[in-house]
Amino acid sequence: MKDNVQPTPIDWEQRKYDLAVALYYHDIRLSDVVTPENRLTRWPAHISLSAEMAVEAAEVFINAYRRQAVMESGEKSHAP
């Protein structure tokens, strides 16, 4: 017997935020491991650039993922 379970709506903004945070922290940790000598000299610029790039990458990925998920579920996509 199949349960009538309704799919939970996905909070795409939260997904985008979570991915951006994960990308940001990954980049910061990797940068610190690879070039620890740059920690103080370029840190403010690196933090700002890493944050911008993480947000941009998360937005691109989530938008593409969302379009794919909508197409696979058979729903009509209203994405631009």
Side-chain angles (χ1 to χ4, degrees):
M1 179 175 190
K2 240 183 178 179
D3 292 331
N4 291 331
V5 178
Q6 295 291 343
T8 306
I10 298 171
D11 184 353
W12 292 107
E13 289 301 315
Q14 185 63 44
R15 289 268 180 126
K16 203 179 300 184
Y17 174 79
D18 293 342
L19 181 57
V21 169
L23 289 169
Y24 172 74
Y25 282 119
H26 176 75
D27 185 50
I28 295 301
R29 285 188 206 116
L30 182 63
S31 160
D32 193 43
V33 168
V34 173
T35 57
E37 67 277 359
N38 290 336
R39 199 176 302 158
L40 296 176
T41 58
R42 296 187 204 163
W43 199 247
H46 181 70
I47 293 292
S48 177
L49 183 62
S50 290
E52 288 175 25
M53 290 175 65
V55 169
E56 184 179 317
E59 187 170 329
V60 168
F61 179 82
I62 292 297
N63 287 341
Y65 184 81
R66 185 177 182 181
R67 276 192 293 265
Q68 185 66 28
V70 167
M71 284 190 269
E72 286 179 1
S73 70
E75 297 175 19
K76 290 185 177 182
S77 175
H78 299 289

